[in-house]
Coordinates of all heavy atoms in Angstrom, one line a residue:
M30 N -51.8 -70.9 65.9 CA -51.7 -70.9 64.5 C -51.9 -69.5 64.0 O -52.9 -68.9 64.4 CB -52.7 -71.9 63.9 CG -52.6 -71.9 62.4 SD -53.8 -73.0 61.6 CE -53.1 -74.6 62.1
P31 N -51.1 -69.0 63.2 CA -51.3 -67.6 62.6 C -52.6 -67.5 61.8 O -53.0 -68.5 61.2 CB -50.0 -67.4 61.7 CG -49.0 -68.4 62.3 CD -49.8 -69.5 62.8
L32 N -53.1 -66.3 61.8 CA -54.4 -66.1 61.1 C -54.3 -66.4 59.6 O -55.3 -67.0 59.1 CB -54.8 -64.7 61.3 CG -56.2 -64.3 60.8 CD1 -57.3 -65.1 61.4 CD2 -56.5 -62.8 60.9
D33 N -53.2 -66.0 58.9 CA -53.2 -66.3 57.5 C -53.2 -67.8 57.2 O -53.8 -68.2 56.2 CB -52.0 -65.6 56.9 CG -50.7 -65.9 57.6 OD1 -50.7 -66.6 58.6 OD2 -49.6 -65.4 57.1
I34 N -52.5 -68.6 57.9 CA -52.5 -70.0 57.7 C -53.8 -70.6 58.0 O -54.3 -71.5 57.3 CB -51.4 -70.7 58.6 CG1 -50.0 -70.2 58.1 CG2 -51.5 -72.2 58.4 CD1 -48.9 -70.7 59.0
L35 N -54.5 -70.1 59.0 CA -55.8 -70.5 59.4 C -56.8 -70.2 58.2 O -57.6 -71.1 57.9 CB -56.3 -69.9 60.7 CG -57.7 -70.3 61.1 CD1 -57.7 -71.8 61.5 CD2 -58.1 -69.4 62.3
L36 N -56.8 -69.0 57.7 CA -57.7 -68.7 56.6 C -57.4 -69.5 55.4 O -58.4 -70.0 54.7 CB -57.5 -67.2 56.3 CG -58.1 -66.3 57.4 CD1 -57.8 -64.8 57.0 CD2 -59.5 -66.5 57.6
V37 N -56.2 -69.8 55.0 CA -55.9 -70.6 53.9 C -56.3 -72.0 54.1 O -56.9 -72.7 53.2 CB -54.3 -70.6 53.6 CG1 -54.0 -71.6 52.5 CG2 -54.0 -69.2 53.0
S38 N -56.2 -72.5 55.3 CA -56.6 -73.9 55.7 C -58.2 -74.0 55.6 O -58.7 -75.0 55.1 CB -56.2 -74.3 57.1 OG -54.8 -74.3 57.1
I39 N -58.9 -73.0 56.0 CA -60.3 -73.0 56.0 C -60.8 -73.0 54.5 O -61.7 -73.7 54.1 CB -60.9 -71.8 56.8 CG1 -60.7 -72.1 58.3 CG2 -62.4 -71.7 56.5 CD1 -61.1 -70.9 59.1
L40 N -60.2 -72.1 53.7 CA -60.5 -72.0 52.3 C -60.2 -73.3 51.6 O -61.0 -73.8 50.8 CB -59.8 -70.9 51.6 CG -60.1 -70.5 50.2 CD1 -61.6 -70.2 50.1 CD2 -59.3 -69.4 49.7
R41 N -59.1 -73.9 51.9 CA -58.7 -75.2 51.3 C -59.7 -76.3 51.7 O -60.1 -77.1 50.8 CB -57.3 -75.6 51.7 CG -56.8 -76.8 51.0 CD -55.3 -76.9 51.2 NE -54.8 -78.0 50.4 CZ -54.1 -79.0 50.9 NH1 -53.8 -79.0 52.2 NH2 -53.7 -80.0 50.1
T42 N -60.2 -76.3 52.9 CA -61.2 -77.3 53.3 C -62.5 -77.1 52.6 O -63.2 -78.0 52.2 CB -61.4 -77.2 54.8 OG1 -60.2 -77.4 55.5 CG2 -62.4 -78.2 55.3
L43 N -62.9 -75.8 52.4 CA -64.2 -75.6 51.7 C -64.1 -76.0 50.2 O -65.0 -76.6 49.6 CB -64.5 -74.1 51.7 CG -65.0 -73.5 53.1 CD1 -65.1 -72.0 53.0 CD2 -66.3 -74.2 53.5
V44 N -62.9 -75.8 49.6 CA -62.7 -76.3 48.2 C -62.7 -77.8 48.2 O -63.3 -78.4 47.3 CB -61.3 -75.8 47.7 CG1 -60.9 -76.4 46.4 CG2 -61.4 -74.3 47.5
E45 N -62.1 -78.5 49.2 CA -62.2 -79.9 49.3 C -63.6 -80.4 49.4 O -64.0 -81.4 48.7 CB -61.4 -80.5 50.5 CG -60.0 -80.5 50.3 CD -59.3 -81.1 51.6 OE1 -59.9 -81.8 52.3 OE2 -58.1 -80.7 51.7
V46 N -64.4 -79.8 50.2 CA -65.8 -80.3 50.4 C -66.6 -80.1 49.0 O -67.3 -81.0 48.6 CB -66.5 -79.4 51.5 CG1 -68.0 -79.7 51.5 CG2 -65.9 -79.8 52.8
A47 N -66.4 -79.0 48.4 CA -67.1 -78.8 47.1 C -66.6 -79.8 46.0 O -67.4 -80.3 45.2 CB -66.8 -77.4 46.6
G48 N -65.3 -80.1 46.0 CA -64.7 -81.0 45.1 C -65.2 -82.4 45.3 O -65.6 -83.2 44.4
F49 N -65.2 -82.9 46.6 CA -65.8 -84.2 46.9 C -67.3 -84.3 46.6 O -67.8 -85.3 46.2 CB -65.5 -84.6 48.3 CG -64.1 -85.1 48.5 CD1 -63.2 -84.5 49.5 CD2 -63.5 -86.1 47.7 CE1 -61.9 -84.9 49.7 CE2 -62.2 -86.5 47.9 CZ -61.4 -86.0 48.9
A50 N -68.0 -83.2 46.8 CA -69.4 -83.2 46.5 C -69.6 -83.3 45.0 O -70.5 -84.1 44.5 CB -70.1 -82.0 47.0
L51 N -68.8 -82.7 44.2 CA -68.9 -82.8 42.7 C -68.5 -84.3 42.3 O -69.2 -84.8 41.4 CB -68.0 -81.8 42.0 CG -68.6 -80.5 41.8 CD1 -67.5 -79.5 41.3 CD2 -69.7 -80.5 40.8
L52 N -67.5 -84.8 42.9 CA -67.2 -86.2 42.6 C -68.3 -87.2 43.0 O -68.7 -88.1 42.2 CB -65.9 -86.7 43.4 CG -64.6 -86.4 42.8 CD1 -63.5 -86.9 43.7 CD2 -64.5 -87.1 41.5
G53 N -68.9 -87.0 44.1 CA -70.1 -87.8 44.5 C -71.2 -87.6 43.6 O -71.9 -88.6 43.2
Q54 N -71.5 -86.4 43.1 CA -72.5 -86.2 42.1 C -72.2 -86.9 40.8 O -73.1 -87.5 40.2 CB -72.6 -84.7 41.9 CG -74.0 -84.1 41.9 CD -73.9 -82.6 41.7 OE1 -72.9 -81.9 41.8 NE2 -75.1 -82.1 41.3
G55 N -71.0 -86.9 40.4 CA -70.6 -87.6 39.2 C -70.8 -89.1 39.3 O -71.3 -89.8 38.4
V56 N -70.5 -89.7 40.5 CA -70.7 -91.1 40.7 C -72.2 -91.4 40.7 O -72.6 -92.4 40.1 CB -70.0 -91.5 42.0 CG1 -70.5 -92.9 42.4 CG2 -68.5 -91.5 41.9
L57 N -73.0 -90.6 41.3 CA -74.4 -90.8 41.3 C -75.0 -90.7 39.9 O -76.0 -91.3 39.5 CB -75.1 -89.9 42.3 CG -75.0 -90.3 43.7 CD1 -75.6 -89.3 44.6 CD2 -75.6 -91.7 43.9
V58 N -74.5 -89.8 39.1 CA -74.9 -89.7 37.7 C -74.7 -91.0 36.9 O -75.5 -91.5 36.2 CB -74.2 -88.5 36.9 CG1 -74.4 -88.6 35.4 CG2 -74.7 -87.2 37.4
L59 N -73.5 -91.6 37.2 CA -73.2 -92.9 36.6 C -74.1 -94.0 37.1 O -74.5 -94.9 36.3 CB -71.7 -93.2 36.8 CG -70.7 -92.4 36.1 CD1 -69.3 -92.8 36.5 CD2 -70.9 -92.4 34.6
L60 N -74.4 -94.0 38.4 CA -75.2 -95.1 39.0 C -76.7 -94.9 38.7 O -77.3 -95.9 38.4 CB -74.9 -95.2 40.5 CG -73.5 -95.6 40.9 CD1 -73.3 -95.5 42.4 CD2 -73.2 -97.0 40.4
A61 N -77.2 -93.7 38.9 CA -78.6 -93.5 38.8 C -79.1 -93.2 37.4 O -80.3 -93.4 37.1 CB -79.1 -92.4 39.8
G62 N -78.2 -92.7 36.6 CA -78.6 -92.4 35.2 C -79.7 -91.3 35.1 O -79.6 -90.2 35.8
K63 N -80.7 -91.5 34.3 CA -81.7 -90.5 34.1 C -82.6 -90.3 35.4 O -83.4 -89.3 35.4 CB -82.6 -90.8 32.9 CG -83.4 -92.1 33.0 CD -84.2 -92.3 31.7 CE -85.0 -93.6 31.9 NZ -85.8 -93.8 30.7
Y64 N -82.6 -91.2 36.3 CA -83.4 -91.1 37.5 C -82.6 -90.4 38.7 O -83.1 -90.4 39.8 CB -83.8 -92.5 38.0 CG -84.6 -93.2 37.0 CD1 -84.0 -94.3 36.3 CD2 -85.9 -92.8 36.6 CE1 -84.8 -95.0 35.3 CE2 -86.6 -93.5 35.7 CZ -86.0 -94.6 35.0 OH -86.8 -95.2 34.1
R65 N -81.6 -89.7 38.4 CA -80.7 -89.1 39.4 C -81.5 -88.0 40.1 O -81.3 -87.7 41.3 CB -79.4 -88.6 38.8 CG -79.6 -87.4 37.8 CD -78.3 -87.0 37.2 NE -78.4 -86.1 36.2 CZ -78.3 -86.4 34.9 NH1 -78.1 -87.6 34.5 NH2 -78.5 -85.5 34.0
E66 N -82.4 -87.3 39.5 CA -83.1 -86.2 40.1 C -84.1 -86.7 41.2 O -84.5 -86.0 42.1 CB -83.9 -85.4 39.1 CG -83.1 -84.6 38.1 CD -82.3 -83.5 38.8 OE1 -82.7 -83.0 39.8 OE2 -81.1 -83.2 38.3
Q67 N -84.4 -88.0 41.2 CA -85.3 -88.6 42.2 C -84.5 -89.1 43.4 O -85.0 -89.5 44.4 CB -86.1 -89.7 41.6 CG -87.0 -89.3 40.5 CD -87.5 -90.4 39.7 OE1 -87.2 -91.6 39.9 NE2 -88.4 -90.1 38.7
N68 N -83.1 -89.1 43.3 CA -82.3 -89.6 44.3 C -82.0 -88.4 45.3 O -81.5 -87.4 45.0 CB -81.0 -90.0 43.7 CG -80.1 -90.8 44.7 OD1 -80.0 -90.4 45.8 ND2 -79.4 -91.8 44.2
I69 N -82.3 -88.7 46.6 CA -82.2 -87.7 47.6 C -80.7 -87.3 47.9 O -80.4 -86.1 48.1 CB -82.9 -88.1 48.9 CG1 -83.0 -87.0 49.9 CG2 -82.1 -89.3 49.6 CD1 -83.9 -87.2 51.0
F70 N -79.8 -88.2 47.7 CA -78.4 -87.9 47.9 C -77.9 -87.0 46.8 O -77.1 -86.1 47.0 CB -77.6 -89.2 48.0 CG -77.9 -90.1 49.2 CD1 -78.6 -91.3 49.0 CD2 -77.7 -89.6 50.5 CE1 -79.0 -92.0 50.1 CE2 -78.1 -90.4 51.6 CZ -78.7 -91.6 51.4
Y71 N -78.3 -87.3 45.6 CA -77.9 -86.4 44.5 C -78.4 -85.0 44.7 O -77.7 -84.1 44.4 CB -78.5 -87.0 43.1 CG -78.1 -86.2 41.9 CD1 -76.9 -86.3 41.3 CD2 -79.0 -85.2 41.4 CE1 -76.5 -85.5 40.2 CE2 -78.7 -84.4 40.3 CZ -77.4 -84.6 39.8 OH -77.1 -83.8 38.7
R72 N -79.7 -84.9 45.1 CA -80.2 -83.6 45.4 C -79.5 -82.8 46.5 O -79.2 -81.6 46.4 CB -81.7 -83.6 45.7 CG -82.5 -83.9 44.4 CD -84.0 -83.8 44.7 NE -84.4 -85.1 45.3 CZ -85.5 -85.3 46.0 NH1 -86.3 -84.3 46.1 NH2 -85.7 -86.5 46.5
A73 N -79.1 -83.6 47.5 CA -78.3 -83.0 48.6 C -76.9 -82.5 48.1 O -76.5 -81.4 48.5 CB -78.1 -84.0 49.8
L74 N -76.3 -83.3 47.3 CA -75.0 -82.9 46.8 C -75.1 -81.7 45.8 O -74.3 -80.9 45.8 CB -74.3 -84.1 46.1 CG -73.8 -85.2 47.0 CD1 -73.3 -86.4 46.2 CD2 -72.7 -84.7 47.9
R75 N -76.2 -81.7 45.1 CA -76.5 -80.6 44.2 C -76.7 -79.2 45.0 O -76.2 -78.2 44.5 CB -77.7 -80.8 43.3 CG -77.8 -79.9 42.2 CD -79.0 -80.2 41.3 NE -80.2 -80.0 42.1 CZ -81.4 -80.5 41.7 NH1 -81.5 -81.1 40.6 NH2 -82.4 -80.3 42.5
I76 N -77.3 -79.3 46.2 CA -77.4 -78.1 47.0 C -76.0 -77.6 47.4 O -75.8 -76.4 47.4 CB -78.3 -78.4 48.2 CG1 -79.7 -78.6 47.8 CG2 -78.2 -77.3 49.2 CD1 -80.6 -79.2 48.9
V77 N -75.1 -78.5 47.7 CA -73.8 -78.1 48.1 C -73.0 -77.5 47.0 O -72.3 -76.5 47.1 CB -73.0 -79.3 48.7 CG1 -71.6 -79.0 49.0 CG2 -73.7 -79.8 50.0
T78 N -73.1 -78.1 45.8 CA -72.3 -77.7 44.6 C -72.9 -76.6 43.8 O -72.2 -76.0 43.0 CB -72.0 -78.9 43.7 OG1 -73.2 -79.4 43.2 CG2 -71.2 -80.0 44.5
N79 N -74.2 -76.3 43.9 CA -74.8 -75.4 43.1 C -74.2 -74.0 43.1 O -74.0 -73.4 42.0 CB -76.3 -75.3 43.5 CG -77.2 -74.8 42.3 OD1 -76.8 -74.9 41.2 ND2 -78.4 -74.4 42.6
P80 N -73.8 -73.4 44.3 CA -73.2 -72.1 44.2 C -71.9 -72.0 43.4 O -71.6 -71.1 42.7 CB -73.0 -71.7 45.7 CG -73.9 -72.6 46.5 CD -74.1 -73.8 45.6
V81 N -71.1 -73.1 43.6 CA -69.8 -73.1 42.9 C -70.0 -73.3 41.4 O -69.4 -72.6 40.6 CB -68.9 -74.3 43.4 CG1 -67.6 -74.3 42.7 CG2 -68.8 -74.1 44.9
V82 N -70.9 -74.2 41.0 CA -71.2 -74.4 39.6 C -71.8 -73.1 38.9 O -71.4 -72.7 37.8 CB -72.2 -75.6 39.4 CG1 -72.6 -75.7 37.9 CG2 -71.5 -76.8 39.8
R83 N -72.6 -72.4 39.7 CA -73.2 -71.1 39.1 C -72.1 -70.1 39.0 O -72.1 -69.3 38.0 CB -74.3 -70.6 40.1 CG -75.6 -71.3 39.9 CD -76.6 -70.7 40.7 NE -77.9 -71.4 40.5 CZ -79.0 -71.0 41.0 NH1 -79.1 -69.9 41.7 NH2 -80.1 -71.7 40.8
A84 N -71.2 -70.0 39.9 CA -70.1 -69.1 39.8 C -69.2 -69.3 38.6 O -68.8 -68.4 37.9 CB -69.2 -69.1 41.1
V85 N -68.9 -70.6 38.4 CA -68.1 -71.0 37.2 C -68.9 -70.7 35.9 O -68.3 -70.2 34.9 CB -67.7 -72.4 37.2 CG1 -67.1 -72.9 35.9 CG2 -66.7 -72.7 38.4
R86 N -70.2 -70.9 35.9 CA -71.0 -70.6 34.7 C -71.0 -69.1 34.5 O -71.0 -68.6 33.3 CB -72.5 -71.0 35.0 CG -73.5 -70.6 33.9 CD -73.3 -71.4 32.6 NE -72.5 -70.8 31.7 CZ -72.1 -71.3 30.5 NH1 -72.6 -72.5 30.1 NH2 -71.3 -70.7 29.7
F87 N -71.0 -68.3 35.5 CA -70.9 -66.8 35.4 C -69.6 -66.3 34.8 O -69.7 -65.4 34.0 CB -71.2 -66.2 36.8 CG -71.2 -64.7 36.7 CD1 -72.3 -64.0 36.2 CD2 -70.1 -63.9 37.2 CE1 -72.3 -62.6 36.2 CE2 -70.1 -62.6 37.2 CZ -71.2 -61.9 36.6
I88 N -68.5 -67.0 35.1 CA -67.2 -66.5 34.6 C -66.8 -67.1 33.3 O -65.9 -66.6 32.7 CB -66.1 -66.7 35.7 CG1 -65.8 -68.2 35.9 CG2 -66.4 -65.9 37.0 CD1 -64.6 -68.4 36.8
T89 N -67.5 -68.1 32.9 CA -67.1 -68.7 31.6 C -67.9 -68.1 30.5 O -69.0 -67.7 30.6 CB -67.3 -70.3 31.6 OG1 -68.7 -70.5 32.0 CG2 -66.4 -71.0 32.6
P90 N -67.3 -68.2 29.3 CA -68.1 -67.6 28.1 C -69.2 -68.6 27.7 O -69.2 -69.7 28.1 CB -67.0 -67.6 27.0 CG -65.9 -68.5 27.4 CD -66.0 -68.6 28.9
R91 N -70.2 -68.0 27.1 CA -71.4 -68.8 26.6 C -71.0 -69.9 25.6 O -71.9 -70.8 25.4 CB -72.5 -67.9 26.1 CG -73.1 -67.0 27.1 CD -74.0 -67.8 27.9 NE -74.2 -67.1 29.2 CZ -74.7 -67.7 30.3 NH1 -75.0 -69.0 30.3 NH2 -74.9 -67.0 31.4
L92 N -69.9 -69.8 25.1 CA -69.4 -70.8 24.1 C -69.4 -72.2 24.7 O -69.6 -73.2 24.1 CB -68.1 -70.4 23.6 CG -67.4 -71.3 22.5 CD1 -68.2 -71.3 21.2 CD2 -66.0 -70.9 22.3
I93 N -69.1 -72.3 26.0 CA -69.0 -73.6 26.7 C -70.4 -74.0 27.1 O -71.2 -73.3 27.6 CB -68.1 -73.4 28.0 CG1 -66.7 -73.0 27.6 CG2 -68.1 -74.7 28.8 CD1 -65.8 -72.7 28.8
L94 N -70.6 -75.3 26.7 CA -72.0 -75.9 27.0 C -72.2 -76.0 28.5 O -71.3 -76.3 29.3 CB -72.1 -77.2 26.3 CG -71.9 -77.2 24.8 CD1 -71.9 -78.7 24.3 CD2 -73.0 -76.4 24.1
D95 N -73.5 -75.9 28.8 CA -73.9 -76.1 30.2 C -73.6 -77.5 30.8 O -73.3 -77.6 31.9 CB -75.4 -75.8 30.4 CG -75.7 -74.3 30.3 OD1 -74.8 -73.5 30.5 OD2 -76.9 -74.0 30.1
A96 N -73.6 -78.5 29.9 CA -73.3 -79.8 30.3 C -71.9 -80.0 30.7 O -71.5 -80.9 31.5 CB -73.7 -80.8 29.2
H97 N -71.0 -79.1 30.3 CA -69.6 -79.3 30.6 C -69.1 -78.5 31.8 O -68.0 -78.6 32.3 CB -68.7 -78.8 29.4 CG -68.9 -79.7 28.2 ND1 -68.8 -79.2 26.9 CD2 -69.3 -81.0 28.1 CE1 -69.1 -80.2 26.0 NE2 -69.4 -81.2 26.7
I98 N -70.0 -77.6 32.3 CA -69.7 -76.7 33.4 C -69.3 -77.5 34.7 O -68.3 -77.2 35.3 CB -70.8 -75.7 33.7 CG1 -71.0 -74.8 32.5 CG2 -70.6 -74.9 34.9 CD1 -69.7 -73.9 32.2
P99 N -70.0 -78.6 35.1 CA -69.6 -79.3 36.3 C -68.2 -79.9 36.2 O -67.5 -79.9 37.2 CB -70.7 -80.4 36.5 CG -71.9 -79.8 35.8 CD -71.3 -79.0 34.6
V100 N -67.9 -80.4 35.0 CA -66.5 -81.0 34.8 C -65.5 -79.8 34.9 O -64.4 -80.0 35.6 CB -66.4 -81.7 33.5 CG1 -65.0 -82.2 33.3 CG2 -67.4 -82.8 33.4
L101 N -65.7 -78.7 34.3 CA -64.8 -77.6 34.4 C -64.7 -77.1 35.8 O -63.6 -76.8 36.3 CB -65.3 -76.5 33.5 CG -64.5 -75.2 33.5 CD1 -63.1 -75.4 32.9 CD2 -65.2 -74.1 32.6
T102 N -65.8 -77.1 36.5 CA -65.8 -76.7 37.9 C -64.9 -77.6 38.7 O -64.1 -77.1 39.6 CB -67.3 -76.7 38.5 OG1 -68.1 -75.8 37.7 CG2 -67.3 -76.2 39.9
F103 N -65.0 -78.9 38.5 CA -64.2 -79.8 39.3 C -62.7 -79.5 39.0 O -61.9 -79.5 40.0 CB -64.5 -81.3 38.9 CG -63.6 -82.2 39.6 CD1 -63.8 -82.5 40.9 CD2 -62.6 -82.8 38.9 CE1 -63.0 -83.4 41.6 CE2 -61.7 -83.7 39.6 CZ -61.9 -84.0 40.9
F104 N -62.3 -79.4 37.8 CA -60.9 -79.1 37.5 C -60.4 -77.8 38.0 O -59.3 -77.7 38.4 CB -60.6 -79.3 36.0 CG -60.6 -80.8 35.6 CD1 -61.6 -81.3 34.8 CD2 -59.6 -81.6 36.1 CE1 -61.6 -82.6 34.4 CE2 -59.6 -82.9 35.7 CZ -60.6 -83.5 34.9
L105 N -61.3 -76.8 38.0 CA -60.9 -75.5 38.6 C -60.7 -75.6 40.1 O -59.8 -75.0 40.6 CB -61.9 -74.4 38.2 CG -61.9 -73.9 36.8 CD1 -63.1 -73.0 36.6 CD2 -60.6 -73.3 36.4
L106 N -61.6 -76.4 40.7 CA -61.5 -76.6 42.2 C -60.2 -77.4 42.5 O -59.5 -77.1 43.5 CB -62.7 -77.3 42.7 CG -64.0 -76.5 42.9 CD1 -65.1 -77.4 43.3 CD2 -63.8 -75.4 43.9
L107 N -59.9 -78.3 41.6 CA -58.7 -79.1 41.8 C -57.4 -78.2 41.7 O -56.5 -78.3 42.6 CB -58.6 -80.2 40.8 CG -57.3 -81.1 40.8 CD1 -57.3 -81.9 42.1 CD2 -57.2 -82.0 39.6
W108 N -57.4 -77.3 40.7 CA -56.2 -76.4 40.6 C -56.2 -75.4 41.8 O -55.1 -75.1 42.3 CB -56.2 -75.7 39.3 CG -55.7 -76.6 38.2 CD1 -56.4 -77.2 37.2 CD2 -54.3 -77.0 38.0 NE1 -55.5 -78.0 36.5 CE2 -54.3 -77.8 36.9 CE3 -53.1 -76.7 38.7 CZ2 -53.1 -78.4 36.5 CZ3 -52.0 -77.3 38.3 CH2 -51.9 -78.1 37.2
L109 N -57.3 -75.0 42.2 CA -57.4 -74.1 43.3 C -56.9 -74.7 44.6 O -56.2 -74.2 45.4 CB -58.8 -73.5 43.5 CG -59.0 -72.5 44.7 CD1 -58.1 -71.3 44.5 CD2 -60.5 -72.2 44.8
W110 N -57.3 -76.0 44.8 CA -56.8 -76.8 45.9 C -55.3 -76.9 45.9 O -54.7 -76.8 47.0 CB -57.5 -78.1 45.9 CG -57.2 -79.0 47.1 CD1 -57.8 -78.9 48.4 CD2 -56.3 -80.1 47.1 NE1 -57.2 -79.9 49.2 CE2 -56.4 -80.6 48.4 CE3 -55.5 -80.7 46.2 CZ2 -55.6 -81.7 48.8 CZ3 -54.8 -81.8 46.6 CH2 -54.9 -82.3 47.9
I111 N -54.7 -77.2 44.8 CA -53.3 -77.4 44.7 C -52.6 -76.0 45.0 O -51.6 -76.0 45.7 CB -52.9 -77.9 43.3 CG1 -53.4 -79.4 43.1 CG2 -51.4 -77.8 43.0 CD1 -53.3 -79.9 41.7
M112 N -53.1 -74.9 44.4 CA -52.5 -73.6 44.7 C -52.6 -73.3 46.1 O -51.7 -72.7 46.7 CB -53.2 -72.5 43.8 CG -52.9 -72.7 42.3 SD -51.2 -72.5 42.0 CE -50.9 -73.8 40.9
L113 N -53.7 -73.6 46.8 CA -53.8 -73.3 48.2 C -52.9 -74.2 49.0 O -52.4 -73.7 50.1 CB -55.3 -73.5 48.7 CG -56.3 -72.5 48.2 CD1 -57.7 -72.9 48.5 CD2 -56.0 -71.1 48.9
A114 N -52.6 -75.4 48.6 CA -51.6 -76.2 49.3 C -50.2 -75.6 49.2 O -49.5 -75.5 50.2 CB -51.6 -77.6 48.7
F115 N -49.9 -75.0 48.0 CA -48.6 -74.4 47.9 C -48.5 -73.1 48.7 O -47.5 -72.8 49.3 CB -48.3 -74.0 46.4 CG -47.8 -75.2 45.6 CD1 -48.5 -75.6 44.4 CD2 -46.7 -75.9 46.0 CE1 -48.0 -76.6 43.7 CE2 -46.3 -77.0 45.3 CZ -46.9 -77.4 44.1
A116 N -49.7 -72.4 48.8 CA -49.7 -71.1 49.6 C -49.6 -71.5 51.1 O -48.8 -70.8 51.8 CB -51.0 -70.4 49.3
K117 N -50.2 -72.5 51.5 CA -50.1 -72.9 52.9 C -48.7 -73.3 53.2 O -48.1 -73.0 54.3 CB -51.1 -74.1 53.2 CG -51.0 -74.5 54.7 CD -52.1 -75.5 55.0 CE -51.9 -76.0 56.4 NZ -52.9 -77.1 56.7
R118 N -48.0 -74.1 52.3 CA -46.7 -74.5 52.5 C -45.7 -73.3 52.6 O -44.8 -73.2 53.5 CB -46.2 -75.4 51.4 CG -44.8 -75.9 51.5 CD -44.5 -76.9 50.4 NE -43.1 -77.3 50.5 CZ -42.4 -77.7 49.5 NH1 -43.0 -77.8 48.3 NH2 -41.2 -78.0 49.6
H119 N -46.0 -72.3 51.8 CA -45.1 -71.1 51.8 C -45.3 -70.3 53.1 O -44.3 -69.9 53.7 CB -45.5 -70.2 50.6 CG -44.8 -69.0 50.5 ND1 -43.4 -68.9 50.2 CD2 -45.2 -67.7 50.8 CE1 -43.0 -67.6 50.3 NE2 -44.1 -66.9 50.6
L120 N -46.6 -70.2 53.5 CA -46.9 -69.4 54.7 C -46.3 -70.2 55.9 O -45.8 -69.5 56.9 CB -48.4 -69.2 54.9 CG -49.0 -68.3 53.9 CD1 -50.5 -68.3 54.1 CD2 -48.5 -66.9 54.1
C121 N -46.4 -71.5 55.9 CA -45.8 -72.2 57.1 C -44.3 -72.0 57.1 O -43.7 -71.9 58.2 CB -46.1 -73.7 57.0 SG -47.8 -74.1 57.4
G122 N -43.6 -72.0 55.9 CA -42.2 -71.7 55.9 C -41.8 -70.3 56.4 O -40.8 -70.2 57.0
L123 N -42.7 -69.4 56.0 CA -42.4 -68.0 56.5 C -42.5 -67.9 58.0 O -41.8 -67.1 58.6 CB -43.4 -67.0 55.8 CG -43.2 -66.7 54.4 CD1 -44.3 -65.8 53.9 CD2 -41.8 -66.1 54.1
H124 N -43.4 -68.6 58.6 CA -43.6 -68.6 60.0 C -42.7 -69.6 60.8 O -42.7 -69.6 62.0 CB -45.1 -68.8 60.4 CG -46.0 -67.7 60.0 ND1 -46.0 -66.5 60.6 CD2 -46.9 -67.7 59.0 CE1 -46.9 -65.7 60.0 NE2 -47.5 -66.4 59.0
G125 N -42.0 -70.3 60.0 CA -41.1 -71.3 60.7 C -41.8 -72.5 61.3 O -41.4 -73.0 62.3
L126 N -43.0 -72.9 60.7 CA -43.8 -74.0 61.3 C -43.6 -75.2 60.4 O -43.4 -75.1 59.2 CB -45.2 -73.5 61.4 CG -45.6 -72.4 62.3 CD1 -47.0 -72.0 62.1 CD2 -45.3 -72.7 63.7
A127 N -43.8 -76.3 61.0 CA -43.9 -77.6 60.2 C -45.3 -78.0 60.0 O -45.9 -78.7 60.9 CB -43.1 -78.6 60.9
C128 N -46.0 -77.5 59.0 CA -47.4 -77.8 58.8 C -47.6 -79.1 58.0 O -47.0 -79.3 57.0 CB -48.1 -76.7 58.1 SG -48.1 -75.1 59.0

């Protein structure tokens, strides 16, 4: 497998992991409610998603509330995942591979 396709695949996998961790965190917010901070699974998912959420908080204006940042992060990860899928498809076409 060419290096460029491998790098795009690895990046896409990392985006998937962060996206699924945010989804899991959202489900636990709905299930655990105000006791979510005491849930060990919620804390584990927060460790995974914290760098991505902080990065989105850094690039967004202060006008956006902190409570909305995880939702915005999820949608940005979703769009990034879609763009990486198109990039991988394009690279596979350039190399004449059926990915």
Side-chain angles (χ1 to χ4, degrees):
M30 178 180 294
L32 182 63
D33 52 354
I34 296 174
L35 180 66
L36 292 176
V37 169
S38 296
I39 290 171
L40 186 58
R41 190 165 181 238
T42 302
L43 290 173
V44 168
E45 280 181 26
V46 168
F49 280 126
L51 276 170
L52 271 179
Q54 227 178 343
V56 168
L57 284 174
V58 165
L59 293 175
L60 292 175
K63 64 181 180 178
Y64 302 108
R65 65 183 173 258
E66 291 298 327
Q67 299 167 356
N68 190 322
I69 192 165
F70 298 110
Y71 179 82
R72 286 186 281 163
L74 291 173
R75 192 177 63 194
I76 289 170
V77 172
T78 60
N79 206 18
V81 180
V82 173
R83 282 188 181 184
V85 171
R86 174 75 266 177
F87 181 74
I88 64 170
T89 55
R91 289 286 159 197
L92 180 69
I93 298 174
L94 300 175
D95 286 339
H97 297 151
I98 295 298
V100 176
L101 178 63
T102 303
F103 176 76
F104 284 111
L105 287 175
L106 285 174
L107 178 68
W108 280 107
L109 180 60
W110 183 77
I111 291 170
M112 292 298 134
L113 288 170
F115 282 125
K117 183 177 176 183
R118 182 177 174 204
H119 177 73
L120 291 172
C121 286
L123 287 176
H124 290 289
L126 299 172
C128 298

